[in-house]
Amino acid sequence: MKMCTPTRWLGARAVGSGRTSDCSCFCVTNFRNQPIITTTISATPQGTRRPFSVFCSYSSPFLAASSSSMPYDKELAAAKKAATLAARLCQKVQKALLQSDVHSKSDKSPVTVADYGSQALVSFVLERELPSEPFSLVAEEDSGDLRKESGQETLKRITELVNDTLASEESDRFTALTTEDVLRAIDNGKSEGGSIGRHWVLDPIDGTKGQVFSLLFSSLLPKSDIVFVRGDQYAIALGLLHEGKVVLGVLACPNLPLTSIGNNQQSSSNEVGCLFFAKVGDGAYMQSLNGSTHIKVHVTDTGNPEEASFFESFEAAHSSHDLSSSIAEKLGVKAPPVRIDSQAKYGALSRGDGAIYLRFPHKGYREKIWDHAAGSIVVTEAGGIVTDAAGNPLDFSKGKFLDVASGIIVTNQKLMPSLLRAVKEALNEKASSL
């Protein structure tokens, strides 16, 4: 085989001196002195110098590493922006809570202006920031009640909040949205998800239900009040599915302290408002909602159950506290549970505030993908494991629902084997007692 004269590479074209009518070239680049290009050069008249076509095959570890670090960067940036703006909207509503900000849906579950506003805002920002991508959003709310006569005042309030939030953050390029714009943005969330393509998954305010709290107008509310109104933990939870797998997640937790909420740990700061984020293969991070420098977070590395604390939902209606207590006893956990609502649990666990999260919904309840998508990747990228009660990975590819065995458990690598044994034993005992 004849060798060609050295070639100056210009993308897929080259300028060189061909001394044969056809030749194959094995070229060495200056990237770490590694051979990366095999070329076939079409016929070139002998003795001429002119541009000629080169067909290249790349096998560079360097280039592969560069390209693999790029996926989902722009999506993550858009998700962080959307979730942060939604959190700002929610904080505005909390600071100036109005009686009309609580709107009861037709199914009687309480929904706030902030729920709808958060979904509209996230939908609008994602679609605007990623205009070249097909947009699919699986989300909790729809605009059905807002389109009724009884919902017009609520819709007007939502539109004002969304516009105020956008204007305060983006005054240089802001155009006010109409009520129709807001309704359309909310209804973007009607996607069914699935295993094909990309789908955003949103819980606009995860944690809207919770224990009863006394407000001046509490008599106007259903007995199952809302965490958002109480000022307890809630999260704007946004994830991205690609071919049925969660590839990035963002948790905006406006009421979560920047320092640990674990047992026997006192906060040294009064600052609240955390943003957790992760993308596949890149670790998990936390920063202030105000935009401070982010830090990498990691789950606790304890392997001793006696040193482990666990999270569970505040309200017993969300998860079986009795079953969780039985599991903790069998495992040897000594610390009392840390009860906290919403996917803020995932964020807190990702930074080591606790070691275990147990969720065992009551019979008949089907888990929704928006309740776990964002939180699960934050924890797994922080070094944790998220499975169902049988140890199976969560499957987000089947649509809006997660079909899991009995419940969901989250912990670190060291504790998972013993936790699974304790879960199995407790579930068997429960089944035998029925």
Side-chain angles (χ1 to χ4, degrees):
M1 180 181 72
K2 296 183 179 180
M3 299 300 293
C4 291
T5 53
T7 304
R8 178 165 59 93
W9 300 102
L10 299 173
R13 300 279 294 173
V15 178
S17 179
R19 295 299 180 185
T20 180
S21 58
D22 282 285
C23 70
S24 293
C25 300
F26 184 68
C27 304
V28 178
T29 74
N30 60 354
F31 292 123
R32 300 181 183 176
N33 250 358
Q34 293 174 325
I36 66 168
I37 303 174
T38 301
T39 69
T40 300
I41 302 177
S42 57
T44 304
Q46 295 207 13
T48 65
R49 290 178 61 89
R50 65 174 183 172
F52 50 84
S53 298
V54 181
F55 302 89
C56 306
S57 173
Y58 289 80
S59 60
S60 168
F62 175 84
L63 293 181
S66 297
S67 63
S68 67
S69 66
M70 295 305 291
Y72 314 118
D73 279 356
K74 62 181 180 180
E75 289 84 355
L76 180 59
K80 289 172 63 179
K81 182 171 188 176
T84 300
L85 285 173
R88 302 266 171 82
L89 181 148
C90 295
Q91 289 172 317
K92 287 182 180 182
V93 177
Q94 276 196 306
K95 288 178 181 178
L97 191 60
L98 302 175
Q99 181 174 312
S100 61
D101 281 341
V102 179
H103 178 72
S104 185
K105 290 192 300 187
S106 56
D107 67 359
K108 304 305 179 185
S109 60
V111 176
T112 65
V113 165
D115 271 296
Y116 291 118
S118 175
Q119 182 160 318
L121 194 53
V122 169
S123 171
F124 173 75
V125 171
L126 288 178
E127 198 169 21
R128 186 193 64 190
E129 296 292 315
L130 304 167
S132 63
E133 298 182 9
F135 186 64
S136 172
L137 176 66
V138 185
E140 187 171 21
E141 307 299 346
D142 66 66
S143 71
D145 287 332
L146 297 176
R147 293 180 184 274
K148 298 175 183 176
E149 184 69 27
S150 60
Q152 292 308 296
E153 283 302 313
T154 302
L155 175 59
K156 181 180 177 181
R157 173 72 173 137
I158 293 165
T159 305
E160 290 173 352
L161 276 167
V162 170
N163 282 327
D164 287 349
T165 304
L166 287 170
S168 64
E169 298 295 325
E170 307 172 343
S171 56
D172 58 330
R173 57 169 179 163
F174 170 68
T175 301
L177 304 184
T178 66
T179 55
E180 276 303 315
D181 292 331
V182 169
L183 290 170
R184 186 191 69 81
I186 291 171
D187 284 337
N188 276 343
K190 290 182 177 180
S191 172
E192 293 295 321
S195 61
I196 299 174
R198 292 187 179 189
H199 306 280
W200 290 97
V201 180
L202 171 69
D203 193 333
I205 300 182
D206 183 33
T208 49
K209 291 182 183 178
Q211 71 185 106
V212 178
F213 179 74
S214 176
L215 296 170
L216 291 176
F217 56 93
S218 60
S219 60
L220 301 176
L221 300 177
K223 198 168 184 179
S224 176
D225 207 9
I226 52 176
V227 172
F228 176 75
V229 174
R230 289 202 322 269
D232 287 2
Q233 298 305 328
Y234 66 96
I236 294 87
L238 179 61
L240 177 62
L241 302 183
H242 189 187
E243 308 299 339
K245 305 292 185 183
V246 187
V247 295
L248 69 82
V250 175
L251 296 173
C253 307
N255 288 342
L256 189 67
L258 288 175
T259 53
S260 177
I261 61 169
N263 283 314
N264 301 318
Q265 298 186 56
Q266 299 296 320
S267 174
S268 60
S269 170
N270 292 325
E271 188 175 0
V272 298
C274 301
L275 185 73
F276 297 91
F277 58 93
K279 71 182 176 77
V280 63
D282 199 40
Y285 301 85
M286 182 192 77
Q287 67 184 66
S288 166
L289 272 174
N290 294 327
S292 64
T293 303
H294 61 258
I295 60 171
K296 195 165 188 176
V297 294
H298 200 280
V299 297
T300 177
D301 64 354
T302 184
N304 182 358
E306 291 189 5
E307 298 174 354
S309 61
F310 69 95
F311 293 123
E312 63 182 4
S313 296
F314 201 105
E315 191 176 350
H318 292 170
S319 182
S320 172
H321 288 176
D322 289 343
L323 182 57
S324 295
S325 296
S326 174
I327 293 167
E329 183 179 352
K330 294 179 185 303
L331 191 61
V333 173
K334 303 297 184 185
V338 177
R339 288 183 175 155
I340 170 177
D341 281 312
S342 86
Q343 287 183 70
K345 289 187 287 290
Y346 279 109
L349 195 143
S350 76
R351 67 185 185 186
D353 289 8
I356 300 166
Y357 166 31
L358 303 174
R359 180 179 171 91
F360 293 95
H362 296 284
K363 187 175 181 180
Y365 180 82
R366 293 185 73 188
E367 296 281 4
K368 318 294 194 307
I369 61 174
W370 53 69
D371 287 326
H372 300 281
S376 65
I377 191 169
V378 168
V379 165
T380 55
E381 285 297 316
I385 307 176
V386 182
T387 73
D388 68 12
N392 303 308
L394 303 187
D395 185 355
F396 293 91
S397 70
K398 304 299 184 182
K400 290 185 176 182
F401 294 97
L402 278 173
D403 292 321
V404 298
S406 301
I408 292 174
I409 57 178
V410 185
T411 189
N412 63 22
Q413 306 271 352
K414 295 178 181 177
L415 288 171
M416 183 58 88
S418 54
L419 178 57
L420 281 171
R421 287 192 296 270
V423 167
K424 182 178 180 180
E425 186 178 343
L427 287 173
N428 287 339
E429 285 184 2
K430 181 181 178 181
S432 64
S433 66
L434 297 178

